[in-house]
Amino acid sequence: MATMDKKNVSMNDVAIAAGVSLKTVSRVINEPGSVRESTRDKVHSAMEALGFRANFAARSLKLGRYGCIGVVLFHLSGGAVDMIDGIADAAEERGFALTMIKKRAGEKMTLAEAARRMSQLPVDGMIFNLRQMVDDFDTFEAPKDLKTVIITPMEHPTCSTVSDDQEGGARMACEYFLNHGHKNVYFVSGKKEALSSQCRMKGWRAALEAHGIEPPEPLQGDWNADSGYAAGLVLADKADCTAVLAANDCMANGVMMALRDKGLSVPDDVSVIGFDDELYKTIPNSILTSVKFRHRELGVRALNEVVAGLEAPSSRSRTLVSGVLVERSSVKDLRA
Amino acid sequence: MATMDKKNVSMNDVAIAAGVSLKTVSRVINEPGSVRESTRDKVHSAMEALGFRANFAARSLKLGRYGCIGVVLFHLSGGAVDMIDGIADAAEERGFALTMIKKRAGEKMTLAEAARRMSQLPVDGMIFNLRQMVDDFDTFEAPKDLKTVIITPMEHPTCSTVSDDQEGGARMACEYFLNHGHKNVYFVSGKKEALSSQCRMKGWRAALEAHGIEPPEPLQGDWNADSGYAAGLVLADKADCTAVLAANDCMANGVMMALRDKGLSVPDDVSVIGFDDELYKTIPNSILTSVKFRHRELGVRALNEVVAGLEAPSSRSRTLVSGVLVERSSVKDLRA
DNA sequence: TTGCGAAATGACAACGTTGTCATTTCGTTA
DNA sequence: TAACGAAATGACAACGTTGTCATTTCGCAA
């Protein structure tokens, strides 16, 4: 029968085994320079032999901090992956781990509820990833001692926010159309509830209006290709439609397929721009010009903002991460 | 000037404010039934007034557990989202939070290294998401007191594993071809390093060999549509090619586009099956039959396995989550 | 060898909870 | 009203670390 292992090996056990004091073991871990090499070796051997691992709870209790940042995922979509990736890498780099909770399907979660749950967990600060509106957005107040950053295109009265510049991206696409001689731009939206769709639509409207163009009625989609196809069938019949901005690449592809099925060519008859630049993964030789957001960068910024605010949780800032227009050949130059 | 808030409100502060003992406050939180209603109200008011929030570190220290499960992401890909979603939902349901760390880009992480880092964090058990081989896979031994589940198609000598049944899915697709009268099946693989690609290939081989068919040389792809397109161009010239299994939907789409560009029709001339069933999101009226894995379920199983093993970390099990063939119209029935 | 300042080490309290066990208070019955 | 058992409450230690401050040991010069 194997020797009965004591459940947890403590620093005290190590100290006894190494014939030194508890505090010396602590020093070996936290300020190795301050202990003689011979002593350090003894302690290290003892730790090795006993399989010692520092107790997170005790350490955090004493230090008053955890070294963890909380992440609340109100909505976990495909685009969120790169963002989480950015958060995780930045956290890693700064010596933080992530503690994560998620809104359950069907459950209605408010910011206050999320904050309440997070504050029971080992976190020094937190990031909310919010892609849809929540009821208490404007009234929410973050715990005074827990730096809170919200990833959302909306401005918040008291919390720091970080966001893609969705409006700017949409404007950029419209300007691109207009600079290429187009006189109007049609818009195919994503799901109504999605803030990113709302913002993209807002940017599209603003850009057209800034040039004195009356925006046509937007077409309602649901992010998927089939809804884009349906929109494309409608647009094919509009004589004045030379440019279409779709709120994502999948719908843009649907639009293009519908146009082709109606005998129209992209870009010769109609030009198209999408969002997210991911069509090339699925379509060989993709020609779609698309507005790409740097989701990874977004995550990095969010995490850095939290860490920067750890000492002053009530500070507030607003960060916008600009998008990039990835140019391919789905837009025709109508000038001259 | 506002009143200087004491940094943290402790149960002791609440006790004093409510005029009861420390232990009574503890009871109000943990066993409310055992304290008189009037007392409970006093304590609740005091907690409210002072803004008390239980200290995670102290609680965990005393209880000897954290209520958190660690998740190590060796590789964060699109497919991982649904899995994380499943893990998070199941964790939520069982009252656990997640603590997450990620392999950094470029960093070479072993299981041992991951375990070492995790064991410094507040976790009662952990899940490794492993999509590629690591050096110490076979020699790795999990900490004795930390239940460890690895999400990987490979069997591990000592740890529990959970996986999609990738081989089974590939076999299923091949059987489907053969049952529809096809005499052979070509295969387009994903990235070499990816275990899922390797397993899908293995299943494809096994299925053909089980029917006494010599598997043709597989075509090497990289998951993206362009590599599928290239493979499709090659396959279009093979007279005996009536059936193609591509290791994912994007490449399957590339194959289909190439076949069409070569004047061949899917499914009339060549039948195609993909993996992951996600083409419908990007392609309107998609006809691609595809093997879909239940990633969410995978995550749920992994988490449940960890929780089930918390009391007996050395237990070991192997779970396979079967795939589903989502039937559309990209496979032609060649029988009479 | 002695003395000295600096370096190394140790004793003890404290962090904020919960478990154990003792004590007080309550509601009933004699 | 007294006595009793049950319910409610409290005092104190313990969980495993780190900070404070006191003590010991070391290296070097006199």
Side-chain angles (χ1 to χ4, degrees), chain A residues 244 288 292 317:
Chain A
V244 180
L288 182 65
K292 174 182 195 161
S317 72

mmCIF file of all heavy atoms in Angstrom, chain A residues 244 288 292 317:
data_model
loop_
_atom_site.group_PDB
_atom_site.id
_atom_site.type_symbol
_atom_site.label_atom_id
_atom_site.label_comp_id
_atom_site.label_asym_id
_atom_site.label_seq_id
_atom_site.Cartn_x
_atom_site.Cartn_y
_atom_site.Cartn_z
ATOM 1 N N VAL A 244 -24.053 47.770 -53.033
ATOM 2 C CA VAL A 244 -24.729 47.158 -51.885
ATOM 3 C C VAL A 244 -23.728 46.952 -50.757
ATOM 4 O O VAL A 244 -22.653 46.383 -50.960
ATOM 5 C CB VAL A 244 -25.342 45.793 -52.253
ATOM 6 C CG1 VAL A 244 -26.033 45.182 -51.038
ATOM 7 C CG2 VAL A 244 -26.302 45.922 -53.419
ATOM 8 N N LEU A 288 -14.714 39.371 -52.852
ATOM 9 C CA LEU A 288 -15.457 40.319 -52.029
ATOM 10 C C LEU A 288 -14.580 41.280 -51.230
ATOM 11 O O LEU A 288 -13.776 40.872 -50.393
ATOM 12 C CB LEU A 288 -16.381 39.567 -51.062
ATOM 13 C CG LEU A 288 -17.262 40.440 -50.172
ATOM 14 C CD1 LEU A 288 -18.268 41.215 -51.011
ATOM 15 C CD2 LEU A 288 -17.960 39.599 -49.118
ATOM 16 N N LYS A 292 -12.928 44.776 -42.270
ATOM 17 C CA LYS A 292 -12.483 43.813 -41.273
ATOM 18 C C LYS A 292 -12.178 44.523 -39.961
ATOM 19 O O LYS A 292 -11.498 45.551 -39.954
ATOM 20 C CB LYS A 292 -11.227 43.145 -41.799
ATOM 21 C CG LYS A 292 -10.548 42.223 -40.832
ATOM 22 C CD LYS A 292 -9.288 41.674 -41.464
ATOM 23 C CE LYS A 292 -8.780 40.476 -40.684
ATOM 24 N NZ LYS A 292 -7.870 39.682 -41.496
ATOM 25 N N SER A 317 -12.814 55.591 -19.515
ATOM 26 C CA SER A 317 -12.265 55.942 -20.817
ATOM 27 C C SER A 317 -13.103 55.291 -21.899
ATOM 28 O O SER A 317 -13.912 54.410 -21.637
ATOM 29 C CB SER A 317 -10.822 55.461 -20.932
ATOM 30 O OG SER A 317 -10.801 54.057 -21.055
#
